[in-house]
């Protein structure tokens, strides 16, 4: 189920093993309960309630991706772990979000034959994006919507554009967004970065 990859990416984004790599070790995450040791297989809940390291009646968070249980038994990161990963993503791994390997002028889901219709200028900025249109589609209806990394729609506009589309999402928080263009001649999705 590829949970090994999830676990290793957790390390790559700053997480330690949930048992802290020692008997009653510390993973430096406040909301994961202290754990006696690594777990294997698929324990049943509650596992080691009130353990000697100070867990409560709910016992150990063996279902955490940073334990060693079977793939089908791993289901979650804690909120504290997510916070650490987001911090690392915004610092040590920040260059990844600026990689041009999925450049917006090319798009992440933009069929080759649709690229002639539009061009996104300056896809990394504080939330103002300009998309130049080609004359063939001037003043024809188009749906433009933007989703955040979780798929939530943060911008939605259906109208005819003369020569360019101007989009302002400067009120949204920093991060990666996807601009979707839906026109009778083409459909495309492109990545943009919103900085602070
Ligand atoms: Zn590991």
């Amino acid at each position: 189920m590829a949970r090994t990859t999830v676990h290793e990416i957790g390390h790559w984004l700053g997480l330690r093993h949930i048992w802290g790599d020692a008997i009653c070790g510390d993973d430096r995450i406040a909301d994961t309960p202290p754990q006696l040791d690594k777990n294997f297989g698929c324990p049943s809940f509650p596992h080691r309630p009130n353990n000697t390291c100070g867990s409560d009646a709910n016992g150990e968070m063996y279902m955490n991706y940073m334990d060693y249980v079977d793939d089908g038994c791993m289901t979650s990161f804690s909120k504290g772990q997510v916070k650490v990963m987001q911090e690392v993503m915004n610092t040590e791994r920040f260059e990844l979000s600026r990689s041009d390997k999925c450049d917006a002028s090319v798009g992440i889901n933009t069929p080759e034959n649709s690229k002639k219709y539009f061009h996104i200028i300056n896809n990394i900025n504080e939330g103002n994006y300009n998309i130049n249109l080609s004359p063939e589609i001037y003043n024809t209806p188009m749906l433009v919507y933007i989703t955040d990394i979780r798929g939530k729609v943060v911008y939605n506009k259906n109208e005819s554009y003369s020569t360019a589309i101007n989009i302002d999402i400067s009120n949204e928080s920093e991060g990666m967004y996807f601009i979707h263009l839906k026109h009778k001649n083409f459909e495309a999705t492109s990545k943009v970065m919103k900085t602070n």
Side-chain angles (χ1 to χ4, degrees):
M1 295 170 69
R3 297 291 194 262
T4 302
T5 311
V6 177
H7 175 108
E8 300 306 333
I9 289 173
H11 284 312
W12 182 74
L13 290 174
L15 300 184
R16 308 180 121 207
H17 290 132
I18 191 168
W19 69 94
D21 295 307
I23 300 298
C24 295
D26 182 6
D27 67 353
R28 299 183 188 162
I29 306 285
D31 65 357
T32 57
Q35 193 159 307
L36 187 70
D37 201 353
K38 54 184 100 59
N39 290 304
F40 295 102
C42 191
S44 57
F45 182 83
H47 180 59
R48 294 196 191 115
N50 306 305
N51 70 17
T52 51
C53 322
S55 78
D56 64 16
N58 288 324
E60 300 184 354
M61 197 185 278
Y62 62 85
M63 62 296 282
N64 192 283
Y65 291 124
M66 300 316 289
D67 207 334
Y68 268 1
V69 296
D70 292 346
D71 278 21
C73 202
M74 292 180 160
T75 60
S76 52
F77 287 115
S78 74
K79 284 183 181 172
Q81 287 173 320
V82 169
K83 194 157 176 280
V84 167
M85 288 191 285
Q86 285 172 338
E87 280 164 9
V88 171
M89 198 67 208
N90 287 328
T91 51
E92 281 91 338
R93 305 297 184 200
F94 188 65
E95 269 186 52
L96 183 68
S97 65
R98 297 194 169 231
S99 166
D100 62 3
K101 298 295 182 271
C102 298
D103 187 82
S105 63
V106 177
I108 56 162
N109 180 20
T110 303
E112 201 60 40
N113 63 1
S114 69
K115 287 177 198 164
K116 63 182 175 183
Y117 292 118
F118 67 92
H119 176 68
I120 297 186
I121 309 155
N122 188 12
N123 59 309
I124 301 176
N125 67 44
E126 292 169 2
N128 290 289
Y129 306 100
N130 283 307
I131 305 172
N132 276 354
L133 304 177
S134 66
E136 299 104 292
I137 61 168
Y138 284 0
N139 302 308
T140 58
M142 195 182 330
L143 171 65
V144 179
Y145 66 100
I146 300 181
T147 50
D148 67 13
I149 201 142
R150 292 175 180 157
K152 186 182 141 208
V153 177
V154 298
Y155 180 99
N156 194 356
K157 208 167 182 190
N158 209 339
E159 69 168 275
S160 296
Y161 299 89
S162 52
T163 59
I165 302 170
N166 302 304
I167 297 172
D168 183 352
I169 57 163
S170 51
N171 289 334
E172 298 296 328
S173 48
E174 182 180 32
M176 192 188 296
Y177 291 85
F178 299 96
I179 298 183
H180 308 266
L181 304 177
K182 208 167 178 181
H183 184 273
K184 68 179 166 65
N185 292 349
F186 69 92
E187 269 191 63
T189 303
S190 291
K191 183 184 79 166
V192 293
M193 270 303 294
K194 199 255 166 204
T195 58
N196 274 337

